[in-house]
Amino acid sequence: MDGRAGTPGRPERRWRESRTARTLIALAGLPLVVLGFVLFVGAYEERGGYRTAPVCGTPTPGADADCLLLESGRVTRKWTSVSVEDGAAYFLGIARGAGSAQEYEVDEPLYRHVESGTAVDLRIWKGVVVRIAHDGHEVSTLTLSWQVWLGLAEAALLIAGGTVVTACGLPGRNRVVRNSPAMLLAGTALVTAVGAAVLTLVQWPFPVTLGCAVSAWLVATVTVRHLYKNSSW
């Protein structure tokens, strides 16, 4: 008599190891990934929407208006930072109106052409300085609004969750990873968040950005799947 016939939970384990079950699990993660990508695209467009936005008219619109507000700012100080890894970085402290100064990283040509007290032209997109110009030199800033950061965080969590679920449905098993879902999700979410923020900041053309994002997701899915290889559910 087979002593394993009455082993509790064995039918459930056979079902979970079936191809149908794995396929259903893998497919269950895809809606989360798709929704995460939708939020990521929204954050990307929120950050780069100023590129095609018209200049605001009068009277002065609110902070959330879908147009570019032109302002004059004043350089309050300038400094550089040098590191072995990244070389020299250039910074300006710029005040808007009567407000306090904020720091912005700029390129070397603009840095060399301004001094403390120099007036600069600013382009404001939804309350955030997106362009700084002076005497023909113009640079984009790397500032992200809290709305964009929130959208990227939500996108990273959804994409990471969907990636883990999808990878769980693929062949391969790992008891250690199975017993540490929180750590796996946190690690995937962190890497996803960093990648999404970088792509949003650099503002490459949208097809290039989306291609990089999808490629990164495929690599992440394969990597998580590899952790499950030759293990049991």
Side-chain angles (χ1 to χ4, degrees):
M1 180 177 179
D2 189 350
R4 296 178 301 173
T7 302
R10 187 168 177 78
E12 178 184 358
R13 178 176 176 179
R14 284 199 299 267
W15 185 87
R16 293 176 68 186
E17 291 178 348
S18 70
R19 179 171 298 180
T20 300
R22 289 182 177 277
T23 300
L24 291 175
I25 293 173
L27 293 177
L30 294 181
L32 294 176
V33 174
V34 171
L35 181 56
F37 268 88
V38 170
L39 292 178
F40 165 69
V41 170
Y44 170 87
E45 293 179 344
E46 181 81 7
R47 171 66 177 86
Y50 73 90
R51 295 177 182 274
T52 56
V55 175
C56 298
T58 55
T60 302
D64 293 330
D66 291 327
C67 59
L68 278 172
L69 181 63
L70 305 184
E71 285 187 9
S72 179
R74 177 176 52 85
V75 176
T76 59
R77 67 188 186 110
K78 53 186 292 189
W79 70 98
T80 60
S81 175
V82 180
S83 68
V84 176
E85 297 82 6
D86 303 322
Y90 303 89
F91 299 90
L92 297 177
I94 297 178
R96 294 172 54 190
S100 59
Q102 305 221 348
E103 67 177 58
Y104 300 94
E105 183 174 358
V106 299
D107 61 10
E108 185 177 3
L110 179 61
Y111 179 86
R112 299 297 183 191
H113 280 78
V114 299
E115 298 295 339
S116 181
T118 300
V120 292
D121 298 319
L122 306 177
R123 289 177 178 256
I124 316 298
W125 171 247
K126 298 189 175 181
V128 176
V129 175
V130 293
R131 303 285 288 181
I132 303 171
H134 173 72
D135 195 24
H137 299 280
E138 186 173 7
V139 297
S140 296
T141 70
L142 298 182
T143 305
L144 293 180
S145 66
W146 69 267
Q147 293 97 330
V148 174
W149 281 118
L150 179 60
L152 290 176
E154 293 172 341
L157 285 175
L158 287 170
I159 294 174
T163 300
V164 172
V165 172
T166 299
C168 286
L170 298 176
R173 303 164 294 182
N174 189 316
R175 286 188 180 92
V176 175
V177 176
R178 180 199 64 185
N179 293 329
S180 305
M183 182 180 299
L184 181 62
L185 177 61
T188 306
L190 178 60
V191 174
T192 303
V194 172
V198 170
L199 289 175
T200 303
L201 285 169
V202 297
Q203 285 290 304
W204 287 329
F206 179 71
V208 176
T209 298
L210 187 60
C212 290
V214 172
S215 299
W217 175 73
L218 292 174
V219 171
T221 303
V222 172
T223 301
V224 175
R225 171 198 178 276
H226 179 71
L227 296 176
Y228 283 78
K229 191 176 181 180
N230 299 324
S231 60
S232 95
W233 279 59

